[in-house]
Amino acid sequence: MKKTIVTLALVVGCCLSGVAQEKLFQSANVQSPVVNKDGTVTFNLFAPKASKVEVTGDFLPTQKIHIEGYGDYDAPGVAQLVEGKNGVWSFTSDKLAPEMYSYTFSIDGMTGVKDPANIYVNRDIVSYTNIFIVSEKKGDKGDLYRVNEVPHGNLSKVWYNSPTLKMQRRMTIYTPPGYDKGGRYPVMYLLHGSGGDENAWSELGRAAQILDNLIAMGKAKPMIVVMPNGNPNCQAAPGEWSFGMYTPGFRDGGNGPTAPAAATIPASFMDIVNYVDANYRTIKKREGRAVCGLSMGGGHTFAISLLYPTTFDYYGLFSAGLHLGKDFNMQKPFSEQIKDDPDFAGQSARLFGSKPKLYWMGMGNTDFLYQSTVDLRAYWDSKGYKYEYVETDGGHIWRNWRIYLTMFAQRLFK
């Protein structure tokens, strides 16, 4: 009897294994996406019972959508797939420039469907999208964003104590190739945007790949990169701390933590700097520190530059969400915030009087935050303060932020 049970279990196990392998091989028969030799990309989806299939992606012409309280911004475009043989739906894009792109499918109105033939995905707040990379030659954007056969740095998830925020918190830290051999290194503090966390820049932003490749090409100095969690009432990314598996949201929304934070990120930022200086072989001087960030993180960088004008020598604002005062009011024009803030004039004078080596700003020409940077530049121009400004096509998108990180990193510590 025992032998019969064992034999039956083996048979069942083999059958289940066979089914799993059959599904694996069936999935592999539908290749998607396929990067063609002419630079176009073909998407394929096996959906024999579907009546309508679409692909939504940032490789398509954008569409404008409106967010109440924030304005219009560019959303990924949509294209129709056409049904072919054996229930496989397909769409081929125009020739795509070198870049990392994201997409999902929509099947009969059900949106956000991941491509079952593509295992590569990223999370942006609550949205999961498939990703793919297009590259034409060594050193182009696609090449910078992928893993190449170069010396690699290491990524660590590091817990630290924040006395100001009164909690243990987590950050992602990149140490460059060769760090384990000794020596001291400069530090770039790299801040994420609203809805993000300490995983955003290493996953969506490809920060480790960008730094590995730039350092290998001799275009960037070896540096430590610190990517903290920019939500002052959170310890770590959703599901990775004691609050549990809550649904994240834009600016700490969703059903996540609602208790007020003990302080702001800019006010608590020296907790991060002090921890890094105490636990890593850093250059503990102004000339060895840079801070930059996208959107909300750009706003944090802006505030940090005013609060600690002699702590950092390099500042980078990427599509910055600028505001002054205690209340985050996107409805109030930034030019008016400047006029109404009693401290801004003096803080700006102290900042630029300290002669930072680089104050750098990047902005997309269709970004919904565009005007606030126009207002800031107009004020600083009127005072003769020196900064650098780069304007790119497109809006409030990761494609621009990866470009800004690539440009900014090459300017540091030289």
Side-chain angles (χ1 to χ4, degrees):
M1 180 66 177
K2 183 180 293 185
K3 182 178 180 181
T4 302
I5 293 173
V6 171
T7 302
L8 181 60
L10 288 171
V11 171
V12 172
C14 288
C15 289
L16 291 175
S17 176
V19 170
Q21 290 180 17
E22 183 181 357
K23 288 183 177 180
L24 174 63
F25 290 127
Q26 284 179 345
S27 174
N29 286 335
V30 179
Q31 299 293 324
S32 181
V34 178
V35 180
N36 303 308
K37 291 183 179 179
D38 62 358
T40 64
V41 178
T42 299
F43 301 85
N44 297 306
L45 178 69
F46 178 66
K49 296 183 179 181
S51 58
K52 183 179 181 181
V53 178
E54 298 175 319
V55 60
T56 301
D58 57 5
F59 59 91
L60 294 164
T62 58
Q63 53 184 339
K64 290 286 186 183
I65 68 172
H66 182 77
I67 296 181
E68 191 64 34
Y70 292 90
D72 295 332
Y73 82 100
D74 294 332
V78 179
Q80 305 287 328
L81 277 73
V82 176
E83 186 175 14
K85 296 180 180 180
N86 303 319
V88 176
W89 296 71
S90 298
F91 168 77
T92 298
S93 74
D94 294 334
K95 177 179 170 59
L96 299 181
E99 183 57 78
M100 186 174 86
Y101 297 96
S102 63
Y103 70 100
T104 58
F105 290 125
S106 171
I107 304 175
D108 293 338
M110 183 171 72
T111 60
V113 179
K114 264 64 74 186
D115 188 342
N118 184 358
I119 65 171
Y120 302 102
V121 295
N122 269 339
R123 178 182 67 85
D124 192 359
I125 311 179
V126 295
S127 299
Y128 277 88
T129 58
N130 291 106
I131 60 171
F132 65 96
I133 294 175
V134 174
S135 176
E136 294 178 350
K137 60 183 179 180
K138 183 70 177 176
D140 66 21
K141 285 187 288 185
D143 184 64
L144 283 175
Y145 303 159
R146 66 186 180 186
V147 178
N148 289 307
E149 196 62 53
V150 298
H152 300 300
N154 290 317
L155 282 178
S156 302
K157 303 296 181 181
V158 178
W159 288 88
Y160 72 101
N161 180 52
S162 175
T164 308
L165 293 175
K166 299 178 172 58
M167 65 171 74
Q168 294 288 319
R169 308 190 78 244
R170 197 178 77 162
M171 53 189 167
T172 300
I173 296 183
Y174 167 91
T175 49
Y179 177 81
D180 56 336
K181 296 179 181 178
R184 294 195 172 274
Y185 290 84
V187 184
M188 174 171 64
Y189 294 86
L190 181 59
L191 314 183
H192 65 77
S194 295
D197 50 58
E198 74 275 15
N199 296 333
W201 267 112
S202 59
E203 295 176 5
L204 292 156
R206 307 294 282 187
Q209 289 81 10
I210 290 171
L211 266 297
D212 278 355
N213 289 320
L214 288 178
I215 291 170
M217 290 187 289
K219 293 184 176 182
K221 292 286 187 180
M223 67 186 78
I224 298 167
V225 182
V226 177
M227 296 162 266
N229 190 302
N231 306 301
N233 59 343
C234 298
Q235 291 180 320
E240 300 184 35
W241 61 293
S242 59
F243 201 85
M245 295 183 180
Y246 61 92
T247 301
F250 189 66
R251 290 191 59 77
D252 301 337
N255 63 358
T258 56
T264 65
I265 289 297
S268 65
F269 202 73
M270 291 309 296
D271 292 350
I272 298 171
V273 175
N274 292 337
Y275 177 89
V276 172
D277 278 348
N279 291 275
Y280 290 81
R281 297 193 311 277
T282 65
I283 297 173
K284 300 178 176 64
K285 298 178 181 179
R286 180 185 190 184
E287 57 264 33
R289 298 192 189 108
V291 58
C292 58
L294 72 91
S295 193
M296 178 183 75
H300 288 163
T301 300
F302 172 67
I304 288 165
S305 72
L306 300 179
L307 285 173
Y308 316 110
T310 60
T311 301
F312 306 87
D313 236 345
Y314 305 85
Y315 302 94
L317 275 57
F318 309 162
S319 308
L322 301 173
H323 70 96
L324 292 167
K326 296 180 179 179
D327 298 325
F328 187 84
N329 184 0
M330 295 290 291
Q331 301 297 316
K332 186 176 182 179
F334 192 66
S335 58
E336 294 183 15
Q337 295 183 46
I338 290 174
K339 293 177 182 177
D340 294 343
D341 190 282
D343 303 317
F344 180 64
Q347 289 175 324
S348 295
R350 285 191 295 274
L351 168 64
F352 286 98
S354 72
K355 300 187 183 305
K357 291 183 178 177
L358 178 65
Y359 207 106
W360 192 97
M361 291 185 279
M363 178 62 72
N365 56 16
T366 60
D367 197 303
F368 72 97
L369 295 177
Y370 184 87
Q371 186 58 45
S372 60
T373 292
V374 170
D375 294 343
L376 177 61
R377 292 176 59 214
Y379 176 81
W380 280 352
D381 287 344
S382 72
K383 300 294 183 180
Y385 298 149
K386 294 182 179 180
Y387 63 88
E388 293 186 17
Y389 176 70
V390 172
E391 188 167 301
T392 55
D393 292 333
H396 210 69
I397 51 177
W398 273 103
R399 188 183 308 176
N400 272 335
W401 303 327
R402 288 188 291 265
I403 291 171
Y404 301 157
L405 172 60
T406 301
M407 298 176 71
F408 184 70
Q410 295 181 71
R411 300 293 308 282
L412 303 180
F413 314 125
K414 296 182 178 180

